Each structure stands twice: as structure tokens, then as C-alpha cells.
Amino acid sequence: MNTSESVGAGPGYQRGELTVHTEPAELAKVTRALRASGRRVHLVPTMGALHRGHLELIRRARQDVNAVVVVSVFVNPLQFGEGEDFGRYPRTFDADVQACRDEGVELVLAPTAETMYGPDPQITVHAGEAGSVLEGAHRPGHFDGMLTVVLKLFNIVRPDLALFGEKDYQQLVLIRRMARELNLDVAVQGIPTIRESDGLALSSRNAYLDEEQRRSALGLSAALVAGAHAGPGGAEAVLREASNVLAAEPEVQVDYLELRGTELGPAPDGGEARLLVAARVGPSRLIDNALVVLGGDESGS
Ligand code: PAF
């Protein structure tokens, strides 16, 4: 597939054109050559099924006109547990490539499990304590698999900047932590969640919802809004108001609703905190989160 002519970065890259690479080693050669020639490299890791949330990450990545943007499209088997939706996760590769082309992306990395992991992978990243709460408590091993593939992507692409959506807030916190603790030479940028006009956070898993389930799913963002409004009344008020909204949606089966510090430790007494929710709605498991500012209202209402 690496048919582009050599333009300053060896084969596999042509400025202004989109080239798809399935071999990580080939893409690695291209991004190293581009960096050596003075270009910055920005990475948007995805599992495909691109929606407006991903396009926003790409647009932010392109804001630096000197940057070449790499989008990875890989449904990573390592971050799906038994009984999860790996098999039916939406795969829309041709449309994804077209969307990347329309957005001016120049490099797409679309490895197979074989080209990504090789025949007998043994070594993984361990997400530690922060990876065992919230999503980690419901999806054991998920964050180990996610961090492993993200570390591999960082090592393949060697980006200056990698962009991730805040919708997967715990994922973002863990990636930042991995970058810090493992001394990775990459800046990690979080981008606010993109929502439908009625508040539903964009997610590839929304595709599984029928009309009625989609209506019920609005309970998640509505709960976050109610919780955030209750911030001045303190943590108890936040959780009470958010829980009331979720309780009114019988089709929403809540896995957790938790208020935590911005780094996912215990919620502070005052100031910025994060309200996080996960729930099953019909065939989908959905997550969402919001910033909450605690305190400031002495009446505690
Ligand atoms: O957020 C995702 O789509 C995935 O978890 C990621 C970061 C691409 C790793 O597979």
C-alpha cells in the first residue's frame, strides 16, 4: 500500500496526499525522516469508526501548519475483555480513510494485530492503582491493554504531540501519567468532549442504540449537568442530584457514578473535581464525565 513517491521523507510519504501504512516499521521510517527534516509530528490514535469527536482531534492536530498529522486506526484486541464488543466494534475503514483525507491528514497507520503485536507478545504495561478503579474495576485489564498499545504507537510514530478526547477521561489521565512516569518525550493534549445538540457525548458505541435507547442514554449527560449545577452545594449535593436524574431512567443500568479529584484520587472538599458515570443502555456500555466546581455555597443547598 505504500505507493507514494519519495518527497523528502523517503518512500511512503507525499506531501499533501494521504498514505496508508499497514506496517508500523514503514511508518516509523517516514515519521523519523519527517522529524529530521524539521516537521513536527502530531498523532491522533483511534480505533476507527471516526465521528465528529475524532475530527475535532484531527483539526486541533492540524492547527500547527508545520505539523504532519498521523491518525492510527486499530481496534486493539488487548484492551477488550472476554464478552466485550471486540467482534462487533464498528469497522468503517474506507469511510475513515476518506474522512482523514478530507481533513488533510497525510499519514494513516492501520496495522493488523499481527503487524502490531508480532507472533508471541509477552510484555505489557501495567496501569497500576489508578487503572483499577472506575472503568478498570468494571473492565479488568482494559487499561493495561490500552496503555500498551498507546506506548507502542508513541514508540512507532515518535510524535511531538498526541491528542485524546476528554470523554475517556480516565484513559487521558492514565496516558498523561504513563508519559510522565516513563519519561516519554511526548506532549499529551486532552480535547473537550464533542456532544450532539441534545447533550449526548459522541461515541462510536452510540451506533448500537435504537431511537428509544438513544433517548434513555441522554440520562447520562443530563445527570452530569444536574451534578455540575449542584457543585456549589458540595459533593453530597452533586451526587444526589446526578443520581436522581439517573434513577428516573429505568433503561439506564448504572455501573458507577463517582465524584473524584481531577487526577482521579478522592474528591477534594472544594474546587475542581470530576464527575464520572458509566452505564449500560440496551446493547451499549456508555461513559461520560464532566468538570464540577465544588463549594462556594454556604447554605449547602
Ligand atoms: O480511545 C481509543 O479509541 C483507544 O482507547 C485508543 C486510545 C486509540 C487506544 O486503542
Side-chain angles (χ1 to χ4, degrees), residues 44-48 54 72 74-76 79 89 142 145-147 149-150 153 164-165 168 171 175:
V44 178
T46 82
M47 297 204 299
H54 298 111
S72 62
F74 180 57
V75 186
N76 173 31
Q79 68 188 74
Y89 195 85
H142 166 66
M146 181 280 293
L147 288 179
V149 84
V150 170
L153 290 168
F164 299 86
D168 296 291
Q171 166 171 288
I175 292 168

CSV table of all heavy atoms in Angstrom, one decimal, residues 44-48 54 72 74-76 79 89 142 145-147 149-150 153 164-165 168 171 175, ligand 1:
chain,number,residue,atom,x,y,z
A,44,VAL,N,-3.0,11.3,16.3
A,44,VAL,CA,-4.3,11.1,16.8
A,44,VAL,C,-4.6,9.6,16.8
A,44,VAL,O,-4.9,9.0,15.8
A,44,VAL,CB,-5.4,11.8,16.0
A,44,VAL,CG1,-6.8,11.6,16.5
A,44,VAL,CG2,-5.1,13.3,15.9
A,45,PRO,N,-4.5,8.9,18.0
A,45,PRO,CA,-4.8,7.5,18.0
A,45,PRO,C,-6.3,7.2,18.0
A,45,PRO,O,-7.0,7.9,18.8
A,45,PRO,CB,-4.1,7.0,19.3
A,45,PRO,CG,-3.3,8.2,19.8
A,45,PRO,CD,-3.9,9.4,19.2
A,46,THR,N,-6.8,6.3,17.2
A,46,THR,CA,-8.2,6.0,17.2
A,46,THR,C,-8.4,4.5,17.0
A,46,THR,O,-7.4,3.8,16.6
A,46,THR,CB,-8.9,6.7,16.0
A,46,THR,OG1,-8.8,6.0,14.8
A,46,THR,CG2,-8.5,8.1,15.8
A,47,MET,N,-9.6,4.1,17.2
A,47,MET,CA,-10.0,2.7,16.9
A,47,MET,C,-10.9,2.7,15.6
A,47,MET,O,-11.7,1.8,15.4
A,47,MET,CB,-10.7,2.0,18.0
A,47,MET,CG,-9.7,1.8,19.2
A,47,MET,SD,-10.1,0.5,20.4
A,47,MET,CE,-11.8,1.0,20.9
A,48,GLY,N,-10.8,3.8,14.9
A,48,GLY,CA,-11.6,3.9,13.7
A,48,GLY,C,-13.1,4.3,14.0
A,48,GLY,O,-13.3,4.9,15.1
A,54,HIS,N,-13.6,12.6,16.8
A,54,HIS,CA,-12.3,12.4,16.2
A,54,HIS,C,-11.8,13.5,15.3
A,54,HIS,O,-10.7,13.9,15.2
A,54,HIS,CB,-12.3,11.1,15.4
A,54,HIS,CG,-12.6,9.9,16.2
A,54,HIS,ND1,-13.7,9.2,16.1
A,54,HIS,CD2,-11.9,9.2,17.2
A,54,HIS,CE1,-13.8,8.1,16.9
A,54,HIS,NE2,-12.6,8.1,17.6
A,72,SER,N,-3.9,6.9,13.7
A,72,SER,CA,-3.8,5.5,13.7
A,72,SER,C,-5.3,4.9,13.8
A,72,SER,O,-6.1,5.5,14.5
A,72,SER,CB,-3.0,5.0,14.9
A,72,SER,OG,-3.5,5.4,16.1
A,74,PHE,N,-6.9,1.4,14.7
A,74,PHE,CA,-6.6,0.0,15.1
A,74,PHE,C,-7.5,-0.4,16.2
A,74,PHE,O,-7.5,0.3,17.3
A,74,PHE,CB,-5.1,-0.1,15.5
A,74,PHE,CG,-4.7,-1.4,16.0
A,74,PHE,CD1,-4.8,-2.6,15.2
A,74,PHE,CD2,-4.1,-1.6,17.3
A,74,PHE,CE1,-4.4,-3.8,15.6
A,74,PHE,CE2,-3.7,-2.9,17.7
A,74,PHE,CZ,-3.9,-4.0,16.9
A,75,VAL,N,-8.3,-1.4,16.0
A,75,VAL,CA,-9.2,-1.9,17.1
A,75,VAL,C,-8.3,-2.9,17.9
A,75,VAL,O,-8.1,-4.0,17.4
A,75,VAL,CB,-10.5,-2.6,16.5
A,75,VAL,CG1,-11.4,-3.0,17.6
A,75,VAL,CG2,-11.2,-1.6,15.5
A,76,ASN,N,-7.9,-2.4,19.0
A,76,ASN,CA,-6.8,-3.1,19.8
A,76,ASN,C,-7.4,-4.2,20.6
A,76,ASN,O,-8.0,-4.0,21.6
A,76,ASN,CB,-6.2,-2.0,20.7
A,76,ASN,CG,-5.2,-2.6,21.7
A,76,ASN,OD1,-4.6,-3.6,21.3
A,76,ASN,ND2,-5.1,-2.0,22.8
A,79,GLN,N,-7.3,-4.5,24.6
A,79,GLN,CA,-8.0,-3.7,25.6
A,79,GLN,C,-9.5,-4.1,25.7
A,79,GLN,O,-10.2,-3.4,26.4
A,79,GLN,CB,-7.8,-2.2,25.3
A,79,GLN,CG,-8.5,-1.7,24.0
A,79,GLN,CD,-8.2,-0.2,23.7
A,79,GLN,OE1,-7.1,0.1,23.3
A,79,GLN,NE2,-9.1,0.7,23.9
A,89,TYR,N,-17.4,-4.3,17.3
A,89,TYR,CA,-17.0,-2.9,17.3
A,89,TYR,C,-17.1,-2.4,15.9
A,89,TYR,O,-16.6,-3.0,14.9
A,89,TYR,CB,-15.6,-2.7,17.9
A,89,TYR,CG,-15.3,-1.3,18.2
A,89,TYR,CD1,-15.7,-0.8,19.5
A,89,TYR,CD2,-14.7,-0.4,17.3
A,89,TYR,CE1,-15.5,0.5,19.8
A,89,TYR,CE2,-14.5,0.9,17.7
A,89,TYR,CZ,-14.9,1.4,18.9
A,89,TYR,OH,-14.7,2.7,19.2
A,142,HIS,N,-8.4,-3.7,31.0
A,142,HIS,CA,-8.6,-2.8,29.9
A,142,HIS,C,-7.5,-1.7,29.8
A,142,HIS,O,-7.0,-1.5,28.7
A,142,HIS,CB,-10.0,-2.1,30.1
A,142,HIS,CG,-10.2,-0.9,29.2
A,142,HIS,ND1,-10.3,-1.0,27.8
A,142,HIS,CD2,-10.3,0.4,29.5
A,142,HIS,CE1,-10.4,0.2,27.3
A,142,HIS,NE2,-10.4,1.1,28.3
A,145,GLY,N,-4.1,-3.0,28.5
A,145,GLY,CA,-4.1,-3.2,27.1
A,145,GLY,C,-4.1,-1.9,26.3
A,145,GLY,O,-3.4,-1.7,25.3
A,146,MET,N,-4.8,-0.9,26.9
A,146,MET,CA,-4.9,0.4,26.2
A,146,MET,C,-3.5,1.1,26.3
A,146,MET,O,-3.0,1.6,25.3
A,146,MET,CB,-6.0,1.3,26.9
A,146,MET,CG,-6.1,2.7,26.3
A,146,MET,SD,-4.9,3.9,26.9
A,146,MET,CE,-5.3,4.0,28.6
A,147,LEU,N,-2.9,1.1,27.5
A,147,LEU,CA,-1.6,1.8,27.7
A,147,LEU,C,-0.5,1.1,26.8
A,147,LEU,O,0.4,1.7,26.3
A,147,LEU,CB,-1.2,1.8,29.1
A,147,LEU,CG,-2.0,2.8,30.0
A,147,LEU,CD1,-1.4,2.7,31.5
A,147,LEU,CD2,-1.9,4.2,29.5
A,149,VAL,N,-0.9,-0.4,23.9
A,149,VAL,CA,-0.9,-0.1,22.5
A,149,VAL,C,-0.5,1.4,22.3
A,149,VAL,O,0.1,1.8,21.4
A,149,VAL,CB,-2.3,-0.4,21.9
A,149,VAL,CG1,-3.3,0.7,22.1
A,149,VAL,CG2,-2.1,-0.6,20.4
A,150,VAL,N,-0.9,2.3,23.3
A,150,VAL,CA,-0.5,3.7,23.2
A,150,VAL,C,1.0,3.8,23.3
A,150,VAL,O,1.6,4.6,22.5
A,150,VAL,CB,-1.3,4.5,24.2
A,150,VAL,CG1,-0.8,6.0,24.2
A,150,VAL,CG2,-2.8,4.6,23.9
A,153,LEU,N,2.3,2.8,20.0
A,153,LEU,CA,2.1,3.9,19.0
A,153,LEU,C,3.1,5.0,19.2
A,153,LEU,O,3.6,5.6,18.2
A,153,LEU,CB,0.7,4.4,19.1
A,153,LEU,CG,-0.4,3.4,18.6
A,153,LEU,CD1,-1.8,3.9,19.0
A,153,LEU,CD2,-0.3,3.2,17.1
A,164,PHE,N,-6.0,13.3,22.6
A,164,PHE,CA,-7.0,12.4,23.1
A,164,PHE,C,-8.3,13.1,23.6
A,164,PHE,O,-8.1,14.2,24.1
A,164,PHE,CB,-6.5,11.5,24.3
A,164,PHE,CG,-5.3,10.7,23.9
A,164,PHE,CD1,-4.0,11.2,24.0
A,164,PHE,CD2,-5.4,9.4,23.5
A,164,PHE,CE1,-2.9,10.5,23.7
A,164,PHE,CE2,-4.3,8.6,23.1
A,164,PHE,CZ,-3.1,9.2,23.2
A,165,GLY,N,-9.4,12.5,23.4
A,165,GLY,CA,-10.7,13.2,23.9
A,165,GLY,C,-10.9,13.0,25.4
A,165,GLY,O,-10.5,12.0,26.0
A,168,ASP,N,-13.0,10.0,27.3
A,168,ASP,CA,-12.4,8.9,28.0
A,168,ASP,C,-11.4,9.5,29.0
A,168,ASP,O,-10.2,9.5,28.8
A,168,ASP,CB,-11.7,8.0,27.0
A,168,ASP,CG,-12.6,7.3,26.0
A,168,ASP,OD1,-13.4,6.5,26.5
A,168,ASP,OD2,-12.6,7.7,24.8
A,171,GLN,N,-8.8,7.3,30.8
A,171,GLN,CA,-7.8,7.0,29.8
A,171,GLN,C,-6.8,8.1,29.6
A,171,GLN,O,-5.6,7.9,29.7
A,171,GLN,CB,-8.5,6.7,28.5
A,171,GLN,CG,-7.5,6.7,27.3
A,171,GLN,CD,-8.2,6.2,26.0
A,171,GLN,OE1,-8.5,5.0,25.9
A,171,GLN,NE2,-8.5,7.0,25.0
A,175,ILE,N,-2.8,8.0,30.5
A,175,ILE,CA,-1.8,8.2,29.4
A,175,ILE,C,-0.8,9.4,29.8
A,175,ILE,O,0.4,9.2,29.7
A,175,ILE,CB,-2.5,8.6,28.1
A,175,ILE,CG1,-3.2,7.3,27.5
A,175,ILE,CG2,-1.4,9.0,27.0
A,175,ILE,CD1,-4.1,7.6,26.4
B,1,PAF,O1,-9.7,5.9,22.8
B,1,PAF,C1,-9.5,5.0,21.9
B,1,PAF,O2,-10.1,5.0,20.8
B,1,PAF,C2,-8.5,3.9,22.3
B,1,PAF,O3,-8.6,3.5,23.6
B,1,PAF,C3,-7.0,4.2,21.9
B,1,PAF,C4,-6.5,5.4,22.6
B,1,PAF,C5,-7.0,4.6,20.4
B,1,PAF,C6,-6.1,3.1,22.1
B,1,PAF,O4,-6.5,1.9,21.5
